[in-house]
């Protein structure tokens, strides 16, 4: 059996009229059939959930090709693609709950996931309770007879808390609940979600999978048992992804293992450097032995990606602005996972996406760095120059 990284390179390759390494982009709403018999046969296969294309919305060649490549990375039974990562989050939840159900949502979730629970799901009579990311098997105390979903994100957005996924999954399954994991940070390459008890994986493929900051796309990967619910919900919501976007995604997936390991090596070097800086209170990166999540990360993950948090010692806002605005190589912007380095400041003075239901952030200024594929020494020089600006502005 070839390893996932090898399977990934040729998975889903299909020849067009002329044999090329890469597939043709086939745009379609209508799919044509040669006869009524063929049309009915394809329709029957489609109804059974097989990969039969009756219409451009599903099972088109590029969708199938992307699914093959994605499954090589993530494991799982089947996958569905969505126009964004958030659409994938929504679909996974909507596929798993009904009115009157209870959802246990990790408190360190991506902020729009929290909003989805508090608005749309609440409107349909689904009750969400937020739990501490480090709860582990104590989640048993929160399980109710109507708990349908335990939702995890590990490491969590902004604070990078590592969750004990197998323990939480065991408890959830004992109570008949489904386990959904947003696996954006590690991808299936560095955290094998299905082997750790997860039923549905949400992938904001916009991030590392797409990897070039030019594409919004999401995926949900389901195990055998969850697949029918996922397919039904995705189809009834009319979710689809354009062949042009899927082409870009497939092209990017080929290099994901190589890109991710380069992000990881550079991030470790930068995180270690930052940890030694006097301006830094702590670095939130599970691959550092000083991180509270290190033991779980070491046990369950096979790598660390290029995204981490940095808590600074208290500093005036103007000094933080001087530090950030002057960076040469760290762009200021949302999202991450592209080939370029980025920085974000989650200020607790303005709208604060780190606001938690259970335990609000009380530390110093919280930054998030994404380490790109630039030369890492240039990145370190840039960060050090930033600290010089911070000190200069703070002294004024
Ligand atoms: C970015 C992100 C999403 C949403 O992805 P989009 O494609 O931007 O909608 C979901 N979860 C996490 C953890 C993310 O970082």
């Amino acid at each position: 059996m070839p390893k996932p990284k090898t399977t990934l390179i040729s998975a889903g390759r299909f020849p067009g009229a002329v044999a090329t390494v890469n597939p043709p982009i086939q745009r379609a709403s209508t799919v044509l059939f040669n006869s009524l018999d063929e049309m009915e046969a394809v329709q029957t296969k489609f109804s059974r959930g097989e990969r039969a294309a009756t219409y451009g919305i599903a099972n088109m060649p590029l969708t199938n090709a992307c699914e093959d490549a994605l499954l090589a990375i993530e494991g799982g039974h089947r996958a569905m693609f969505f126009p964004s990562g958030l659409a994938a989050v929504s679909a996974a939840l909507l596929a798993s709950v009904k009115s009157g159900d209870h959802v246990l949502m990790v408190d360190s979730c991506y902020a729009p996931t929290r909003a989805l629970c508090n608005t749309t799901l609440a409107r349909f009579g689904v009750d969400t309770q937020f739990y501490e990311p480090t709860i582990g098997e104590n989640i048993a105390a929160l399980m109710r007879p109507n708990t349908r979903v335990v939702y995890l994100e590990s490491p969590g957005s902004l604070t990078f808390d590592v969750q004990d996924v197998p323990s939480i999954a065991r408890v959830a399954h004992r109570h008949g609940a489904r386990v959904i994991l947003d696996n954006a940070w590690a991808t299936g390459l560095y955290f094998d979600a299905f082997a750790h008890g997860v039923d549905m994986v949400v992938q904001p493929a916009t991030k590392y999978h797409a990897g070039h900051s030019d594409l919004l796309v999401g995926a949900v990967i389901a195990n055998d048992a969850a697949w029918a619910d996922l397919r039904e919900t995705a189809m009834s919501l009319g979710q689809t992804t354009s062949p042009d976007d899927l082409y870009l995604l497939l092209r990017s997936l080929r290099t994901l293992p190589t890109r991710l390991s380069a992000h990881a090596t550079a991030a470790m070097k930068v995180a270690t450097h930052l940890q030694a800086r006097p301006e830094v209170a702590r670095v939130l990166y599970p691959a550092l032995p000083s991180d509270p999540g290190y033991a779980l990360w070491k046990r369950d993950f096979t790598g660390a990606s290029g995204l981490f948090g940095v808590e600074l010692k208290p500093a005036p806002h103007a000094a933080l602005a001087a530090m950030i605005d002057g960076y040469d190589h760290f762009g200021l912007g949302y999202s991450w996972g592209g080939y370029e380095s980025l920085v974000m400041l989650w200020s607790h003075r303005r709208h604060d996406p780190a606001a938690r239901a259970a335990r609000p952030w009380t530390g110093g200024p919280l930054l998030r760095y994404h380490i790109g594929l630039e030369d890492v020494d240039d990145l370190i020089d840039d960060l050090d120059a930033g600290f010089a600006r911070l000190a200069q502005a703070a002294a004024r």
Side-chain angles (χ1 to χ4, degrees):
M1 260 290 267
K3 302 248 181 342
K5 201 169 143 177
T6 309
T7 310
L8 169 64
I9 296 299
S10 58
R13 183 185 290 176
F14 64 94
V18 175
T20 51
V21 173
N22 291 293
I25 295 175
Q26 208 171 357
R27 303 189 55 86
S29 53
T30 300
V31 171
L32 292 174
F33 305 95
N34 292 310
S35 67
L36 201 52
D37 274 356
E38 186 193 294
M39 187 180 212
E40 286 167 359
V42 173
Q43 183 62 48
T44 302
K45 283 189 184 168
F46 175 81
S47 308
R48 284 201 224 110
E50 289 175 36
R51 270 182 175 179
T54 56
Y55 189 56
I57 201 164
N59 300 328
M60 292 296 287
L62 268 168
T63 320
N64 300 339
C66 272
E67 187 185 11
D68 285 341
L70 188 72
L71 294 177
I73 293 166
E74 305 290 336
H77 174 61
R78 292 288 307 271
M80 278 285 188
F81 291 96
F82 297 88
S84 70
L86 186 56
V89 172
S90 308
L93 281 164
L94 289 171
S96 306
V97 293
K98 63 181 185 318
S99 178
D101 283 348
H102 176 236
V103 170
L104 284 170
M105 171 60 64
V106 65
D107 207 17
S108 51
C109 67
Y110 176 67
T113 302
R114 179 189 304 281
L116 165 73
C117 292
N118 288 336
T119 58
T120 306
L121 289 188
R123 197 152 47 74
F124 286 98
V126 176
D127 182 21
T128 303
Q129 186 176 353
F130 295 92
Y131 67 89
E132 273 295 301
T134 53
I135 196 165
E137 62 189 7
N138 293 330
I139 198 146
L142 303 183
M143 301 296 303
R144 300 182 196 162
N146 61 338
T147 305
R148 283 278 76 79
V149 169
V150 179
Y151 190 107
L152 304 90
E153 191 185 311
S154 179
S157 279
L158 310 182
T159 48
F160 300 90
D161 318 72
V162 182
Q163 297 195 253
D164 188 344
V165 178
S167 294
I168 293 174
R170 252 191 317 275
V171 173
H173 289 154
R174 202 160 64 224
H175 288 80
R178 175 174 289 168
V179 177
I180 305 177
L181 170 75
D182 184 329
N183 198 20
W185 183 85
T187 81
L189 293 175
Y190 290 169
F191 181 74
D192 185 347
F194 293 101
H196 288 87
V198 172
D199 302 303
M200 266 188 191
V201 169
V202 170
Q203 270 306 355
T206 302
K207 309 290 168 54
Y208 280 125
H209 295 72
H212 295 71
S213 306
D214 55 0
L215 182 58
L216 279 156
V217 63
V220 181
I221 309 99
N223 67 9
D224 211 352
W227 163 243
D229 288 348
L230 171 64
R231 177 174 182 270
E232 182 190 87
T233 299
M235 296 304 296
S236 60
L237 291 175
Q239 296 285 32
T240 189
T241 312
S242 84
D244 303 85
D245 286 352
L246 289 171
Y247 180 90
L248 287 174
L249 176 63
L250 184 60
R251 187 163 95 160
S252 298
L253 290 179
R254 308 298 189 192
T255 57
L256 178 63
T258 310
R259 285 186 284 113
L260 209 53
S261 88
H263 284 293
T265 307
M268 184 46 118
K269 194 162 175 189
V270 175
T272 306
H273 178 81
L274 287 174
Q275 204 175 26
R277 290 286 321 196
E279 301 85 351
V280 170
R282 61 188 174 127
V283 177
L284 298 87
Y285 189 48
L288 290 174
S290 58
D291 190 276
Y294 178 75
L296 281 176
W297 173 80
K298 187 95 186 138
R299 187 191 72 184
D300 294 345
F301 290 68
T302 54
S305 66
L307 189 76
F308 55 78
V310 173
E311 181 189 349
L312 294 183
K313 292 177 184 160
H317 192 268
L320 294 169
M323 179 182 87
I324 291 170
D325 294 351
Y327 283 143
D328 288 328
H329 306 304
F330 288 87
L332 180 59
Y334 293 102
S335 202
W336 48 274
Y339 54 84
E340 79 290 4
S341 289
L342 290 171
V343 63
M344 273 297 306
L345 171 67
W346 305 103
S347 167
H348 36 276
R349 289 194 299 155
R350 286 173 284 118
H351 165 70
D352 180 7
R356 298 280 170 86
R359 190 162 51 85
W361 176 257
T362 53
L366 180 60
L367 294 145
R368 186 183 70 189
Y369 287 95
H370 179 251
I371 305 306
L373 304 178
E374 301 89 347
D375 187 296
V376 68
D377 294 329
D378 288 334
L379 296 180
I380 288 173
D381 288 348
D382 201 21
L383 291 167
D384 285 348
F387 286 124
R389 286 190 300 277
L390 179 84
Q392 211 167 41
R396 267 205 293 273

